Amino acid sequence: VVDPFLAPRCVPDFLDRWIVRKSILDALESHREQFTGKLLDVGCGQMPYKSYLTSAAGKEIKYIGLDFEVNPIHDNTPDITWKDGKIPLADASVDYAMATEVFEHCPEPEDVMKEIFRVLKPGGLLFFTVPFLWPLHEVPFDQYRYTPYALERHLGNSGFDDIRLKAMGGWDASMGQMLGLLVRRRRMNKYIRTCLSYMLTPIIWYLYKQDKKNVSSFRGSMMITGVSGTAKKNCVT
């Protein structure tokens, strides 16, 4: 069985999710070698990246999955759960934190970011991804779509600095993602869906391969699929 998180494939029945899964995995891969020590996965869900992160050669990682005690979306069993809006960990007790596709579900994102900042050790790093071009999902818990400027403001207000953001996909990837979503999620005849999916598979693959990825200079009239980024907790307090 192909793991849709760790081995996403551009195949007809996965066209709606391939680009976003591939982009998140690629962004995570670019930071994987930095992760050591205690790693907190905020909003871990079913912990799809746990085995990938803890199997890195030469790394000793203590993975901690954090989520709600009763999750309205996922049937999961996190290692720890939120307690009255707080992470049940001591101040400055975590080396790294990650939050993949989480902040868009937070009604008050700075409350979550400040808690992550609190538990990170001085010099600790937060890695995150958020969608920009994506349908309403996990309703009614879908709250926001962030521009890079909003992310910088929220993270800065939460205490972070050295904030580095990258687009996970540009115009070509955005078109590919929209085509995939259209053909797999729009209501249509099953036969037409199947035919269009097979026809569009090579086009979507081509658009993704042509796309300018990991662009860090954001400008007007730019289209993005989502944003990945890192933010640091300074050693100086």
Side-chain angles (χ1 to χ4, degrees), residues 51-196:
S51 62
Y52 171 76
L53 293 166
T54 56
S55 64
K59 297 286 184 179
E60 291 189 10
I61 295 177
K62 182 180 179 182
Y63 174 97
I64 303 171
L66 167 70
D67 215 316
F68 295 116
E69 185 173 2
V70 178
N71 193 315
I73 300 169
H74 301 288
D75 181 15
N76 63 334
T77 307
D79 299 306
I80 59 175
T81 60
W82 290 91
K83 303 296 183 184
D84 298 321
K86 301 295 182 181
I87 300 173
L89 293 173
D91 295 357
S93 60
V94 171
D95 297 288
Y96 291 90
M98 60 181 281
T100 54
E101 312 293 275
V102 171
F103 294 141
E104 71 273 17
H105 297 292
C106 301
E108 301 295 337
E110 288 183 19
D111 290 348
V112 177
M113 292 174 181
K114 287 175 181 176
E115 269 300 285
I116 297 172
F117 183 86
R118 178 184 66 80
V119 301
L120 274 174
K121 294 178 180 178
L125 186 78
L126 165 65
F127 166 83
F128 62 90
T129 66
V130 292
F132 185 80
L133 182 67
W134 196 248
L136 292 173
H137 63 292
E138 299 179 357
V139 294
F141 306 105
D142 189 5
Q143 300 288 316
Y144 298 107
R145 295 295 179 270
Y146 296 98
T147 66
Y149 318 106
L151 287 168
E152 287 179 338
R153 174 169 52 84
H154 286 308
L155 290 163
N157 289 345
S158 303
F160 288 98
D161 56 15
D162 194 13
I163 300 164
R164 304 188 181 189
L165 307 176
K166 292 183 178 180
M168 290 197 292
W171 275 104
D172 293 323
S174 295
M175 177 58 74
Q177 187 160 295
M178 282 304 300
L179 287 172
L181 288 165
L182 175 74
V183 75
R184 298 307 303 174
R185 300 197 182 189
R186 182 187 181 279
R187 291 184 180 179
M188 65 178 67
N189 175 275
K190 184 178 179 180
Y191 175 76
I192 294 175
R193 186 188 310 283
T194 299
C195 291
L196 286 176

Side-chain angles (χ1 to χ4, degrees), residues 12-59:
D13 62 354
F14 200 66
L15 294 181
D16 55 336
R17 292 161 288 166
W18 175 63
I19 287 179
V20 66
R21 293 294 181 210
K22 184 74 167 64
S23 299
I24 294 170
L25 186 61
D26 288 347
L28 190 58
E29 170 67 23
S30 68
H31 295 283
R32 185 186 187 194
E33 291 303 312
Q34 295 177 267
F35 297 148
T36 57
K38 191 178 289 187
L39 171 64
L40 178 67
D41 187 353
V42 180
C44 63
Q46 295 169 306
M47 299 183 273
Y49 300 110
K50 180 179 180 178
S51 62
Y52 171 76
L53 293 166
T54 56
S55 64
K59 297 286 184 179

